[in-house]
Amino acid sequence: SLSPEDELVPQLDVLNNLNATWELIAADDARQRVARLNLVAGRKARQALAYQDALGYISVGLSLLGKRSWETSYELPFWLHLEALECEYLTANFERADQLFKTLIANARSKLDKGRIYRIKILLDNSEERYEEVVKVGIAALRLFGIRYVRHPTRLDVLIQLLLVRVRLRGRTPQDLLE
């Protein structure tokens, strides 16, 4: 989602100088450009397992977003918030991660974006040993993609699913399933 020129991060000392004075950047296009650079730098830091550094870049990027950024340029706030969610989770700041999850779900526009968010939320809840929440979030994610999941199936539910499998497999050989 970034242009090739945005993939080239400037020298980190230059970016750090820009970040030290981010409040002085007035033009919206310049703020977005620096926010994009911070997104790229944050991703690179996270990939290098430098989660605190990544969070620093991502936080500055989030600070540079305008109040209407979700409406005016969806991609940038989405990716900055998603990276922040992942970094907060990886640095064990679970309360902030939960807040970011709520913001992301409220603003996500596509099923694919929501699926990405739910995946991280499931990892977060699992690491916090909130297994009941993991199941609830997993069911919500499955519903999003039209997959019905019955938490406590009755015998009738199981019978219906078995019949559906038989119907779908009718006339097919085991070899057909491999192809």
Side-chain angles (χ1 to χ4, degrees):
S1 67
L2 295 173
S3 68
E5 68 183 69
D6 287 335
E7 290 293 336
L8 301 172
V9 179
Q11 295 295 320
L12 289 181
D13 56 343
V14 174
L15 184 57
N16 290 335
N17 285 335
L18 284 171
N19 288 348
T21 59
W22 69 265
E23 295 100 344
L24 301 175
I25 304 171
D28 284 341
D29 60 330
R31 291 176 74 87
Q32 285 217 346
R33 175 106 172 104
V34 175
R36 283 185 193 282
L37 293 172
N38 275 286
L39 173 60
V40 174
R43 282 180 174 165
K44 290 184 184 288
R46 183 182 51 79
Q47 290 166 355
L49 308 179
Y51 303 128
Q52 282 302 132
D53 291 341
L55 203 47
Y57 290 117
I58 298 299
S59 295
V60 172
L62 288 169
S63 298
L64 286 162
L65 296 177
K67 290 183 170 122
R68 297 177 22 97
S69 63
W70 283 103
E71 296 136 29
T72 58
S73 61
Y74 171 79
E75 292 287 320
L76 182 58
F78 174 79
W79 288 110
L80 280 167
H81 280 85
L82 192 67
E83 289 290 330
L85 170 61
E86 196 160 349
C87 287
E88 294 289 5
Y89 157 68
L90 291 168
T91 57
N93 191 351
F94 301 124
E95 190 173 309
R96 175 73 178 130
D98 277 333
Q99 293 169 350
L100 287 162
F101 168 77
K102 290 173 186 168
T103 299
L104 277 159
I105 284 297
N107 289 289
R109 293 183 184 169
S110 73
K111 289 180 183 180
L112 181 59
D113 287 348
K114 286 183 180 181
R116 288 179 174 120
I117 299 163
Y118 280 129
R119 181 188 67 79
I120 296 171
K121 175 68 169 154
I122 288 169
L123 293 172
L124 167 68
D125 288 336
N126 189 51
S127 68
E128 280 287 286
E129 298 179 2
R130 297 184 289 199
Y131 303 119
E132 186 70 24
E133 188 66 19
V134 169
V135 172
K136 286 179 186 176
V137 171
I139 290 171
L142 290 172
R143 277 195 199 123
L144 181 67
F145 292 96
I147 299 170
R148 185 175 167 262
Y149 177 82
V150 179
R151 183 110 189 249
H152 303 288
T154 64
R155 286 182 184 255
L156 180 61
D157 291 323
V158 173
L159 182 62
I160 289 170
Q161 292 303 314
L162 284 172
L163 289 172
L164 283 172
V165 168
R166 284 199 166 179
V167 167
R168 289 179 181 147
L169 292 177
R170 190 175 354 156
R172 297 174 77 184
T173 66
Q175 187 63 31
D176 292 339
L177 298 177
L178 295 175
E179 296 171 1

